[in-house]
Amino acid sequence: MAASIESLLEEISGVEDPIEELQSLKTALLSIPVSALRDSLSGQRLDVIFSLLNTNERKQVELCVDILERFLIALSPVQVVQNYRVELQGGLTHPNESVKILALTQIGRVVDHPDAVAEVLNNNDILRSMIHCIGEEKMAVAKQAIQSLSKLSHSKPGLDKLFQTDLLKVMKDVMATSDIVRYRFYELVVEISSVSPISLGYCANSSFISQLLGELTGDDVLIRATAIEMVTTLAHSQHGRQYLAQQGIMDKISNMIRGADTDPFSSLYLPGLVKFFGNLAIMDSPQQVCETYPVFQNKVFEMALDPDPVMIGVALDTLGLLGSTVEGKQVLQKIGEKFKSVLLRMSQLASSGATELRVRSLDAISQLLTLQPEQQTEDLLALTESWFHLLSNQPMDMIRNISTQPFPELHCGALRIFTAIAAQPWGQKLMISTPGFMEFILDRSTGQTKEAKDAKFELVGSLASSSTAAEILGSQHYIRLKTYLREGPYYVSAVAAVSTEGAD
């Protein structure tokens, strides 16, 4: 095997137009497992393939990249950087984006490895070229550069190198190229800041974060919308949230929601502001966030009743997110009549809205109604049951009608609502008392897509695993549910298979 690869490499080196030979080598490599390739590589040099990258012939470059990817993944990061550092450095400035991505990916492996990272940290030219790659026209190149550079932030020497040497100036210079490039650097900074309080400190001290936070109240509403997304990502870590709170950002965003009523362009950034608080509520405390920033809670309810589908969609997602936690359910219940009218709106949208809003309504309803077994206190069971009955005069029929429509996403969304109530005793009582419902659940002929079969299987699992199911549903139904589970989601009975064959 090693001999055949070696002979193919030798053949390539002596050919003027090596496309055919490269294709043969690529085919040969694909048939060899990476572990076997690793054993055969010890004596190989890939210089010949790297040298063939110096061409304008796109097909040749692509074949070389495919071959190098296969070879290099078989080597450890230490071997890669020791043997091919110069070639990878050259790849960072190659005119073809696939070569740049190959080099950035391999350097990413190197900086992620404690025994190899020093080789890159001690090479300013490589780091400078990686930073310049963030300013590249091709987004795929920039994304890979961001990913590989952010790995440096996992160590103090990496942070020191990026933020306490002349590389900081290089970053700021490249960042100034355009709005698009500036936001790519914010993405890098947010990724680095999320790693630890120490890495956040480096980013804050370099003034990157204050610059990002300043964009929140800038004149350009599109830039403002992008900035709020970045800040929301920063809030995903606890130390990020603490920092934002210290900087008064929660109050600033709350005031922006308040001021949105008088801004004709607020629809461009308002959804982002609401998402920010929605995420904050889930990560911290729904009650605390809703009480501290009542303007957020009021705006969500206002948006849920808005005619604009964008606003409705964000409100549905946010309410589903809030209602997915016990504390969030209790907050919503306290709101009273206003929440009841929003629940009614959700059921109307689920039954007859635009398809995307119907799906989002169904998802929000299933989150609101979900209660894990350990959360099923008397009060919470009474709460979810009352919400279900607020959806319609005949909620079981309403959801079942949606589940029979010929749109897989609606079918699955409706099944998820049944899955939510199937784990609760009141839901099981409704199911057994609704004529034909158990037959509907156990009928494998409804919903033929993989997603539909998975959703039905989840519903059966939710019912069968409940501690009250056997008693409420009766032993006959319970045994059939257990059989369905044992047979798996994609079971086809022999009789059904024969009759289908006959029909053909």
Side-chain angles (χ1 to χ4, degrees):
M1 191 194 303
S4 64
I5 292 175
E6 204 164 320
S7 59
L8 282 167
L9 282 167
E10 278 174 19
E11 275 177 42
I12 290 166
S13 60
V15 177
E16 197 171 312
D17 182 11
I19 298 281
E20 207 174 303
E21 286 74 11
L22 287 167
Q23 189 66 63
S24 300
L25 177 56
K26 180 184 169 181
T27 307
L29 287 174
L30 289 172
S31 66
I32 303 169
V34 171
S35 55
L37 195 56
R38 191 176 294 122
D39 299 335
S40 70
L41 257 176
S42 54
Q44 310 289 347
R45 295 294 301 170
L46 302 178
D47 313 44
V48 60
I49 306 294
F50 274 110
S51 68
L52 290 173
L53 289 169
N54 300 319
T55 178
N56 294 324
E57 180 59 58
R58 194 168 181 88
K59 179 68 179 167
Q60 181 174 314
V61 170
E62 283 171 3
L63 281 167
C64 288
V65 167
D66 289 344
I67 289 164
L68 287 167
E69 269 178 355
R70 189 78 181 159
F71 268 127
L72 293 171
I73 203 71
L75 296 171
S76 73
V78 175
Q79 289 170 310
V80 168
V81 76
Q82 283 175 352
N83 295 323
Y84 304 111
R85 186 181 68 237
V86 174
E87 288 83 352
L88 291 176
Q89 190 174 329
L92 294 172
T93 53
H94 194 281
N96 185 299
E97 77 258 23
S98 62
V99 180
K100 286 194 180 89
I101 291 169
L102 170 75
L104 286 164
T105 306
Q106 291 302 322
I107 293 167
R109 287 181 65 213
V110 169
V111 297
D112 218 14
H113 194 285
D115 298 333
V117 64
E119 297 272 2
V120 172
L121 283 177
N122 296 332
N123 190 316
N124 264 21
D125 291 338
I126 286 183
L127 291 166
R128 203 174 285 115
S129 296
M130 287 172 78
I131 292 166
H132 278 282
C133 282
I134 297 180
E136 280 288 326
E137 189 185 340
K138 299 285 186 199
M139 189 60 196
V141 175
K143 281 275 182 203
Q144 194 56 59
I146 290 168
Q147 200 177 324
S148 297
L149 277 168
S150 71
K151 288 177 180 174
L152 281 172
S153 62
H154 295 189
S155 72
K156 188 177 183 303
L159 288 165
D160 287 342
K161 192 74 181 177
L162 278 180
F163 293 102
Q164 294 186 345
T165 68
D166 59 341
L167 290 176
L168 181 61
K169 184 180 184 308
V170 176
M171 284 202 276
K172 291 189 173 179
D173 289 346
V174 178
M175 191 179 184
T177 315
S178 69
D179 286 348
I180 289 171
V181 173
R182 187 164 82 255
Y183 272 88
R184 289 176 186 171
F185 274 93
Y186 288 147
E187 195 179 320
L188 171 66
V189 164
V190 167
E191 267 196 38
I192 290 174
S193 300
S194 300
V195 174
S196 69
I198 292 168
S199 57
L200 172 64
Y202 277 85
C203 294
N205 292 339
S206 64
S207 79
F208 282 126
I209 297 186
S210 56
Q211 192 178 336
L212 167 60
L213 297 178
E215 308 263 16
L216 281 176
T217 46
D219 295 333
D220 188 321
V221 287
L222 291 175
I223 285 181
R224 212 183 286 180
T226 313
I228 188 66
E229 274 183 43
M230 300 280 179
V231 173
T232 302
T233 307
L234 187 58
H236 283 165
S237 64
Q238 192 180 356
H239 61 271
R241 291 196 295 283
Q242 282 173 343
Y243 176 82
L244 292 171
Q246 286 161 4
Q247 302 299 311
I249 296 304
M250 280 67 161
D251 294 326
K252 185 180 274 191
I253 292 175
S254 174
N255 289 333
M256 286 169 75
I257 293 176
R258 196 172 284 113
D261 292 339
T262 56
D263 181 353
F265 299 107
S266 65
S267 62
L268 293 167
Y269 60 83
L270 187 57
L273 302 178
V274 169
K275 280 181 193 171
F276 172 83
F277 276 118
N279 280 292
L280 198 65
I282 286 306
M283 287 177 288
D284 276 352
S285 152
Q287 186 177 340
Q288 193 182 331
V289 169
C290 290
E291 283 177 3
T292 312
Y293 308 102
V295 66
F296 153 67
Q297 183 179 294
N298 295 336
K299 183 56 76 175
V300 173
F301 282 94
E302 196 182 298
M303 287 163 77
L305 303 170
D306 195 292
D308 181 348
V310 175
M311 297 297 166
I312 298 168
V314 172
L316 289 170
D317 296 347
T318 306
L319 287 165
L321 200 59
L322 279 174
S324 65
T325 67
V326 165
E327 192 182 309
K329 284 178 172 60
Q330 290 164 332
V331 168
L332 294 172
Q333 178 72 344
K334 276 184 203 162
I335 291 162
E337 290 306 313
K338 201 190 284 187
F339 179 59
K340 287 180 184 176
S341 59
V342 165
L343 259 183
L344 194 58
R345 180 80 197 275
M346 278 187 188
S347 72
Q348 288 164 351
L349 287 167
S351 299
S352 59
T355 304
E356 191 203 342
L357 283 183
R358 294 183 74 179
V359 173
R360 286 164 89 169
S361 295
L362 291 168
D363 283 347
I365 292 167
S366 69
Q367 285 178 291
L368 288 168
L369 295 173
T370 298
L371 266 187
Q372 300 306 327
E374 66 277 10
Q375 299 167 343
Q376 292 182 13
T377 62
E378 207 174 305
D379 288 352
L380 287 169
L381 285 167
L383 178 149
T384 51
E385 185 176 6
S386 70
W387 286 0
F388 186 70
H389 287 289
L390 285 170
L391 294 172
S392 152
N393 291 332
Q394 298 292 334
M396 291 296 282
D397 292 346
M398 178 196 119
I399 306 296
R400 188 155 61 163
N401 287 341
I402 296 169
S403 78
T404 57
Q405 293 179 12
F407 300 102
E409 60 268 53
L410 292 178
H411 175 75
C412 294
L415 287 184
R416 278 193 286 274
I417 293 178
F418 286 138
T419 303
I421 69 167
Q424 301 171 60
W426 64 261
Q428 293 157 17
K429 286 172 185 166
L430 275 179
M431 287 177 174
I432 198 68
S433 63
T434 302
F437 194 84
M438 293 309 296
E439 287 67 27
F440 159 74
I441 288 181
L442 293 159
D443 181 2
R444 286 186 181 272
S445 68
T446 59
Q448 290 305 300
T449 63
K450 181 185 180 297
E451 291 76 15
K453 289 176 188 294
D454 289 341
K456 176 70 80 74
F457 190 71
E458 204 175 320
L459 165 54
V460 172
S462 178
L463 256 183
S465 61
S466 167
S467 59
T468 54
E471 184 189 340
I472 293 171
L473 302 177
S475 58
Q476 191 183 350
H477 288 308
Y478 188 68
I479 289 163
R480 288 178 69 196
L481 288 167
K482 286 289 192 185
T483 305
Y484 191 118
L485 276 186
R486 194 174 60 250
E487 290 169 346
Y490 315 117
Y491 176 78
V492 179
S493 72
V495 177
V498 171
S499 64
T500 309
E501 230 171 82
D504 289 342

